[in-house]
Amino acid sequence: MIALENFSVNLGQFYLKNINIRVAKGEIFAILGATGAGKTVILEALAGLYTAENGAIYIDQQNVSNTLPEERNLGYVHQDYSLFPHLSVYQNIEFGLKIKKIPKTERLNKVKDISHVLGIEHLLSRYPRTLSGGEQQRTALARALVMNPKILLMDEPFSALDCNTKERMYDMINMIHERYGCTIIFVTHDLHEAKRLADRVAVIQNGELKMICSSCEIQNKDLL
Amino acid sequence: MKSPQKHVYLFDILANLTAVLVMLFILVALSSIVVKGFPYIGEAFLSEEVRFAVKLSLYTSSVSTLVCLLLAIPTAYAVTKTSLPFKRFFEIIIELPLSLPHIVLGLCLLLIFSSDFGTFLKAHDFKVIFEVNGIISAHIFINLPFVIRIIKTAFMGVDSRLEFAARTLGASKFKMFWRVTLPLSKNAVIGAMILAWSRALGEFGGALMVAGITRMKTETLTANVYLNMATGDVGQALASATILLIISLISLLLFNAFNKQTGESRVKNPMLY
């Protein structure tokens, strides 16, 4: 379980105020809001980028507010995918495993497995700049999932994709969720996306939590 | 396929004309040294003094460049990627020598190494004044701010989201720097290294203040040019200047080769604009 309790972050020009969110283990949870509402700040705070001004973050009942990002065991998929441009797709996926000093053969097997699941085996020798948006996203997902994270955080993961690719990626996220059983928290500004994928949705406005409800209940007027 | 319409702009013509004039002026000035100095090059290489000057120049430039890099990389990282207090103050002080004449910087070093600190170093067998160490110290002091500036700009250009991605994948700050920030700044670091090396090779004023010019002791190629001109041996001076020019040309070509990727314009066809 993940919990943000009375969590506040002061970034000078932006203030995230008193956020209270609890996400159950295995849940798909959406953070919904307009641009600049503070959705990404919540996600980045969960990943350990910011120090809390007030409140705390709990993962499995443990206070991780002061835990370094590299020690949180969270998978993070950035909005622009943030693939390392100087590394091939294989090396990108292998990056975290190499940091953890996993033996070479094991690394190879893990990279092959995850790239097979996500259908990017044929891209392993390519470099990020030669990939399409959808391919980049699957690579970023593979890079995060190969570390076997308890929680997968995704920042506007579908915003740069066309409608057809989006639909395929929604199915892929559901497949990943079933297969790996990880908790997924994603940020979006798209109500349809939140309803389509999430179990529950938190609505953020101007750095404040407006409401949390089931994705079936949420309506357009809740975003106003 | 319809080809883009080509326009002829007066501003473009004037700019191109200026560029041609500037290029011709530099080419003629440098060629005059090469044309007059080239016949003396064979003779110069037979001279033990010139060979000593070449070796000393290559040695002092290489050592100072290495030290500059070792100091510049962590400093550039500190001012761009950490929460160092009074960062702006640090940057101003570090960049201050860039706007000062080399001879003034040499004078600063002369004062430092003539003080109790210099006496302390001398007592511990590290002599600087009128020694090769003085040349290296001057090169470092003059080039360090320049190298820091180039590397700092490169580090600032590395997307912080990539560094954060590395952290979320388990990399400590050092591993993040080693595997993401530094490889992505590789071209700039190599470019800074080559430029610092060629600048050190051509440095004269700062080293003169600290190490003086003693034949076959602190005589670099630039010092050799100066000494030969002072004694009226113009041919030897031109030969040494030509050797310097050739070394500088090679280092500049290397610099351009390493920076080709980053220096290229993103606009593929400027005629369209």
Side-chain angles (χ1 to χ4, degrees), chain B residues 139-201:
Chain B
H139 288 175
I140 294 168
F141 192 36
I142 289 162
N143 277 334
L144 189 57
F146 175 76
V147 176
I148 290 172
R149 192 175 211 177
I150 296 178
I151 297 178
K152 194 182 81 178
T153 309
F155 285 173
M156 280 162 68
V158 175
D159 190 343
S160 57
R161 282 169 300 186
L162 292 176
E163 293 171 324
F164 181 51
R167 298 288 304 278
T168 62
L169 291 164
S172 62
K173 274 217 156 184
F174 174 72
K175 283 185 178 167
M176 170 205 85
F177 172 74
W178 189 248
R179 291 184 184 273
V180 177
T181 316
L182 199 56
L184 287 174
S185 311
K186 188 180 73 183
N187 285 351
V189 172
I190 294 171
M193 191 175 80
I194 294 169
L195 274 181
W197 187 80
S198 58
R199 272 168 60 100
L201 198 72

Side-chain angles (χ1 to χ4, degrees), chain A residues 101-120:
Chain A
K101 294 184 175 146
I102 306 284
K104 198 176 177 181
T105 324
E106 200 180 331
R107 287 203 308 262
L108 179 72
N109 291 334
K110 279 178 182 275
V111 174
K112 275 187 173 174
D113 286 348
I114 194 71
S115 51
H116 174 71
V117 171
L118 295 176
I120 52 170

Side-chain angles (χ1 to χ4, degrees), chain B residues 108-129:
Chain B
C108 296
L109 285 179
L110 184 66
L111 291 175
I112 289 174
F113 290 115
S114 304
S115 66
D116 290 345
F117 174 64
T119 315
F120 170 80
L121 291 177
K122 201 174 174 183
H124 289 81
D125 223 20
F126 189 83
K127 294 173 191 164
V128 178
I129 306 294

